[in-house]
Amino acid sequence: NDDRHPPAVLTPEEWGVITPFRWVEIEGWPGELKPEQIVRRSAFPVGWDDQAASFQSSDETLDAIWELCRYSIKATSFAGVYVDGDRERIPYEADAYLNQLSHYYVDPDKQMARDTFDRLMEYPTWPTEWAPHMVFMAHADWMHTGDAEWLKPRYESLKDKLLLERAGDDGLIRSNAKQVKRDDIVDWPVGERDGYVFREVNTVVNAFHIEALRRMADLADAVGKSDEAKRYRDRADRVETVFNEKLLMKNGTYRDGIGTDHAALHASMFPLAFGLVPQEQVPTVVDFLVGKGMRCSVYAAQYFMEALFEHGAGEQALELMLADGDRSWKHMLESGTTITWEAWDQKYKPNQDWNHAWGAAPANLLPRYVLGVEPLEPGWKTVGIRPHLGELTEARGRVPTPKGPIEIHWKRNGGVLGLKLEVPDGMGVQLALPPGERGRTLVVNGEKMDPSAGGDWNPLILGGE
């Protein structure tokens, strides 16, 4: 390795020289080759808990997708930090953040994400939008653990990840010629960008900038810097106003950047995922995105699915996960793979890794949205239960948290929705049900309750500390 490329993460010296592979073909073997003559070795984190998480639903394919993605997180954690597969074997910021989200939902460990964060601060990579992902990683740790002591010595270094040195007088982030040509990534591989037109002011880059400011404000509050938190929020509000004035078109969708009217999927997808779309334009943007379909990579699909689930299109998100064709997790599953890929198919990236955790987004998406389990306060002090039912009739699962596991089971039977929930002692709960599910049967810890106040996504407070 040279100074321009981070060093690869090495496996332990005592393992000796190994060549990881996904399949092997043996030719010229004398006589009969028997299975017992082949010895395989595998490496997993020593503390991994296979029983920490579970997911089952009324759709067997969806269940198999979750298990494929869960196992992918386990199998790709062999290096002790999140690596991008075995071709380069280095952490990348966006890869690591997606890996972190899924790891939290399938295993109790928090240290691997932290070790990856520290390594990336020492060895950052080059794409523009990868830098704000470091703020995202720190924010995810804060929400998961509530541990400000880990955050405090790392807070100042995160300021360099906000892209502020590239801001113009109006607050929008500018890109120079090199950044336009190489560093502004939008999506990867290049063919997954839906024809995105790169300009000095890039819509996706600015969407990430605004979201990073908002999450940085939360982190500033966490370490006791309320004045800085206010400055970050005020700046985010100002830039968001300019963002929508200059980049939101009259037809209700977003242009790729200032100086073009081209509207790639990504130009509207990231603003929707980050809550930047004015409320009156949300239906237009959702319809636009659903009409586009999966014109993005497995990386951007994390944000695509979040955008749809968060804005009333959970059914369409599930349909995209289960779609026929070669651009869905159903396709990966049906290919026979046991670990998710770097790209939807070999033809979209001929040199792709066949063991890539950024392709495992359903490991976090299905428990977060189908089971509906997410932390509302740092350290899971309060959990939000907000299940997106789609066409499913049943889902159940276990979600690990630092306070202990959450068990949830919901089932529709005719006109009755039953929901059973068990949470660790002292954890507050806010329950919100989708429109149309008001006034059904709700069972919480064995006690029947009236869920009418929790219908149409209005939260029902069920108690806490």
Side-chain angles (χ1 to χ4, degrees):
N1 291 293
D2 59 32
D3 293 338
R4 295 170 297 176
H5 196 278
V9 178
L10 301 180
T11 52
E13 189 173 325
E14 58 267 25
W15 289 9
V17 179
I18 61 171
T19 302
F21 61 86
R22 292 299 311 284
W23 58 270
V24 62
E25 181 178 345
I26 300 175
E27 297 181 351
W29 183 268
E32 181 184 1
L33 179 61
K34 299 179 181 179
E36 58 266 24
Q37 294 172 303
I38 300 174
V39 178
R40 297 182 298 167
R41 296 180 63 190
S42 59
F44 303 108
V46 65
W48 187 275
D49 182 0
D50 277 322
Q51 307 306 313
S54 64
F55 177 86
Q56 290 178 296
S57 73
S58 52
D59 190 304
E60 292 182 356
T61 302
L62 203 62
D63 298 353
I65 288 172
W66 180 83
E67 176 55 28
L68 166 67
C69 295
R70 183 202 71 86
Y71 179 76
S72 297
I73 299 300
K74 177 182 178 180
T76 57
S77 299
F78 68 94
V81 294
Y82 304 142
V83 294
D84 69 321
D86 208 64
R87 187 177 66 253
E88 296 177 276
R89 207 189 293 176
I90 64 173
Y92 280 91
E93 292 87 342
D95 305 54
Y97 173 65
L98 269 61
N99 203 323
Q100 174 188 24
L101 291 181
S102 290
H103 196 167
Y104 285 167
Y105 274 90
V106 298
D107 181 69
D109 176 68
K110 65 178 186 296
Q111 191 60 42
M112 194 173 299
R114 292 179 165 188
D115 290 345
T116 307
F117 177 95
D118 288 340
R119 187 178 179 95
L120 281 165
M121 292 304 272
E122 183 178 3
Y123 299 111
T125 66
W126 55 270
T128 295
E129 300 97 299
W130 276 206
H133 276 91
M134 294 301 290
V135 180
F136 291 13
M137 286 191 75
H139 191 272
D141 182 276
W142 169 237
M143 289 301 296
H144 185 67
T145 68
D147 183 4
E149 295 308 308
W150 178 85
L151 175 62
K152 285 177 181 177
R154 294 164 175 82
Y155 170 79
E156 290 295 328
S157 62
L158 285 169
K159 294 178 179 179
D160 292 338
K161 305 299 181 179
L162 296 171
L163 309 177
L164 287 170
E165 73 282 358
R166 291 169 52 174
D169 292 340
D170 58 2
L172 293 175
I173 302 303
R174 262 67 181 177
S175 302
N176 61 31
K178 172 184 172 291
Q179 290 158 344
V180 169
K181 184 176 182 180
R182 177 181 183 266
D183 297 349
D184 298 351
I185 201 166
V186 173
D187 206 346
W188 192 262
V190 172
E192 298 286 29
R193 294 171 175 166
D194 192 27
Y196 198 95
V197 177
F198 287 74
R199 289 290 183 262
E200 178 187 15
V201 175
N202 180 310
T203 302
V204 172
V205 167
N206 277 278
F208 269 98
H209 171 63
I210 297 168
E211 181 65 8
L213 288 172
R214 296 204 189 285
R215 298 194 195 190
M216 192 68 175
D218 291 344
L219 299 181
D221 277 332
V223 300
K225 296 181 180 290
S226 56
D227 290 346
E228 291 188 10
K230 184 179 186 305
R231 287 200 296 271
Y232 286 131
R233 290 192 178 98
D234 289 347
R235 186 181 186 97
D237 289 344
R238 292 195 305 271
V239 180
E240 180 179 340
T241 298
V242 178
F243 179 87
N244 282 321
E245 287 175 352
K246 296 189 176 182
L247 296 167
L248 181 60
M249 296 189 290
K250 291 182 179 179
N251 67 2
T253 61
Y254 287 82
R255 53 173 53 91
D256 297 350
I258 293 178
T260 179
D261 284 341
H262 186 265
L265 173 87
H266 307 69
S268 291
M269 172 182 69
F270 286 106
L272 185 64
F274 297 149
L276 304 179
V277 181
Q279 191 59 42
E280 65 274 12
Q281 298 295 342
V282 166
T284 299
V285 172
V286 168
D287 289 347
F288 171 75
L289 296 176
V290 170
K292 281 271 193 179
M294 195 71 81
R295 295 192 190 182
C296 62
S297 75
V298 291
Y299 147 69
Q302 169 81 48
Y303 293 103
F304 190 13
M305 298 296 98
E306 288 181 3
L308 295 182
F309 276 119
E310 292 285 356
H311 294 90
E315 182 177 336
Q316 291 87 340
L318 290 172
E319 288 174 356
L320 287 168
M321 286 188 188
L322 296 165
D324 294 325
D326 59 9
R327 304 183 67 81
S328 72
W329 284 280
K330 180 183 178 184
H331 170 63
M332 283 195 207
L333 187 68
E334 291 179 340
S335 74
T337 187
T338 57
I339 302 178
T340 53
W341 300 332
E342 183 183 3
W344 290 121
D345 193 84
Q346 197 74 6
K347 68 186 179 186
Y348 299 119
K349 195 174 191 295
N351 71 333
Q352 72 158 326
D353 278 311
W354 289 3
N355 49 338
H356 209 96
W358 85 348
N364 73 79
L365 292 169
L366 293 176
R368 285 172 64 199
Y369 293 112
V370 173
L371 298 181
V373 179
E374 286 197 281
L376 295 184
E377 292 182 273
W380 292 83
K381 183 179 180 182
T382 301
V383 61
I385 305 296
R386 194 170 179 259
H388 295 71
L389 314 185
E391 293 296 312
L392 300 172
T393 58
E394 184 176 11
R396 68 167 70 207
R398 180 183 308 113
V399 173
T401 82
K403 292 181 177 295
I406 294 171
E407 303 271 357
I408 184 170
H409 181 198
W410 61 257
K411 186 174 183 179
R412 287 191 289 196
N413 184 8
V416 176
L417 171 66
L419 188 149
K420 184 175 182 180
L421 176 66
E422 297 180 14
V423 302
D425 290 343
M427 182 182 288
V429 178
Q430 287 190 22
L431 172 69
L433 298 176
E437 301 301 330
R438 183 190 297 269
R440 306 291 180 92
T441 299
L442 175 66
V443 180
V444 180
N445 290 341
E447 295 184 14
K448 287 188 176 182
M449 302 187 68
D450 175 11
S452 58
D456 295 346
W457 297 129
N458 295 312
L460 171 65
I461 311 301
L462 300 178
E465 292 182 314

